[in-house]
Amino acid sequence: MNFAKPYSCVKLWISVWFLLFVGGAPLSKAETLMTPQHVIQQTADELQTTLRKPEYIHDFKKATALVDEILSTRVDFDRVSLLVLGKNWKTANAEQRERFKKEFRFLLVRTFTTAFTEYANWKIRFLPTPMQPLSDTNAVVRTEIIQPGAQPSRVDYRMILTGDMWKVYDIQIDGLSLLQNYRTSFMGEVANGNLDQLIAHLAQRNANAMNASIER
C-alpha cells in the first residue's frame, strides 16, 4: 500500500493541524461561539507551551494520547471518514465504518505526533478572510505558515459548524487537499482488494509505527 504521497504532505501539515488541536480542556460556552479564525488563533497561542513540554517530547505514548484527545473535539471524524472513503463508505457495513474510523484516526494522530518534532519553529499569518456569520455552517480560514529558510505555505482550513462548535474536516496546502491525497491512496487499495484488507493494512501499519516510535 502506497502512503508515500500523503505522508510527504503530512510533514508540512503538522505545523498546520496542531494549530487547531492544542488545549485539550473542554471549551466554555463563550469559546464555542467564537469565529473559526478566533478559535485557530487562540489554540495557536497555546501550542508553544503544550506539546513542547519535556513530558510529551520524551514520551511518545503520552503525547499520542494527548493528541488523540484533542483531535476528538476539533475534527469531524465522521465527515472526514465518509469523504475519504467516498462510495466505499456507502457500501461498508457499520462494523467496517467504525474500524476504518478508528484506524484512520490513529494514522493521523501518530503521524502528526511524530512529525511535530521536525517543526519546532513556525509562525502563522492570517490572510483576509470573510467573517462568516455564526448562522452559516461552513467556513474557510485562510493563512500562511512561515518557517525559517522556506517560502511561506498557503494554508486553507475548511471547517463546519457542528452543534455549537467549529470543526475541521479538510486542510489544503497550496491547493493540495489532505482528504484528496488519502482518498486517492485508499481507493487504489480497495480496488486491488477490499475494504477489510485496507483496514487490516492500516491497523498493521499503525501498530508497527507505534512500536518503533516507543522503542526509540
Side-chain angles (χ1 to χ4, degrees):
M1 182 177 183
N2 184 10
F3 287 86
K5 187 175 181 181
Y7 182 73
S8 66
C9 296
V10 166
K11 285 191 174 183
L12 174 59
W13 284 330
I14 183 59
S15 57
V16 179
W17 279 76
F18 271 96
L19 298 178
L20 304 174
F21 307 141
V22 176
L27 296 177
S28 69
K29 181 65 175 180
E31 289 174 319
T32 63
L33 297 178
M34 290 193 300
T35 66
Q37 179 170 322
H38 289 160
V39 172
I40 293 174
Q41 180 66 73
Q42 184 182 66
T43 53
D45 292 341
E46 297 175 5
L47 176 59
Q48 306 301 323
T49 58
T50 305
L51 289 175
R52 291 182 181 180
K53 293 180 179 179
E55 59 264 38
Y56 294 113
I57 294 175
H58 302 299
D59 190 334
F60 186 79
K61 185 175 181 180
K62 184 175 182 178
T64 301
L66 174 66
V67 174
D68 183 65
E69 179 182 357
I70 296 168
L71 286 173
S72 68
T73 61
R74 298 301 181 101
V75 178
D76 188 340
F77 273 105
D78 286 339
R79 182 177 296 271
V80 171
S81 297
L82 184 155
L83 293 175
V84 166
L85 280 186
K87 63 181 181 180
N88 294 295
W89 179 265
K90 296 180 181 179
T91 59
N93 59 42
E95 181 185 10
Q96 289 174 318
R97 290 178 179 180
E98 289 304 313
R99 287 165 52 214
F100 176 78
K101 284 196 296 183
K102 175 184 175 182
E103 296 302 336
F104 182 52
R105 170 175 173 163
F106 193 62
L107 168 67
L108 294 176
V109 169
R110 57 112 180 142
T111 303
F112 295 156
T113 305
T114 299
F116 175 74
T117 58
E118 299 181 22
Y119 289 90
N121 299 309
W122 52 263
K123 295 181 180 179
I124 182 172
R125 178 166 63 201
F126 287 94
L127 302 177
T129 301
M131 297 301 289
Q132 299 283 353
L134 292 179
S135 60
D136 193 340
T137 58
N138 290 277
V140 177
V141 178
R142 298 177 173 88
T143 71
E144 286 184 335
I145 298 299
I146 312 299
Q147 299 185 73
Q151 291 294 318
S153 296
R154 170 67 181 271
V155 179
D156 289 350
Y157 303 81
R158 303 188 67 84
M159 305 177 72
I160 189 166
L161 186 61
T162 303
D164 59 359
M165 293 188 65
W166 286 99
K167 295 186 178 182
V168 176
Y169 67 91
D170 193 15
I171 294 177
Q172 293 185 335
I173 307 295
D174 294 328
L176 190 61
S177 167
L178 172 74
L179 287 180
Q180 188 59 50
N181 271 281
Y182 276 112
R183 182 173 181 173
T184 299
S185 177
F186 293 163
M187 286 296 183
E189 173 74 3
V190 175
N192 294 327
N194 54 55
L195 183 55
D196 286 326
Q197 178 175 301
L198 168 63
I199 296 170
H201 284 178
L202 285 173
Q204 187 62 55
R205 185 179 179 87
N206 284 333
N208 291 345
M210 193 67 178
N211 290 335
S213 298
I214 294 175
E215 291 172 0
R216 283 193 308 218

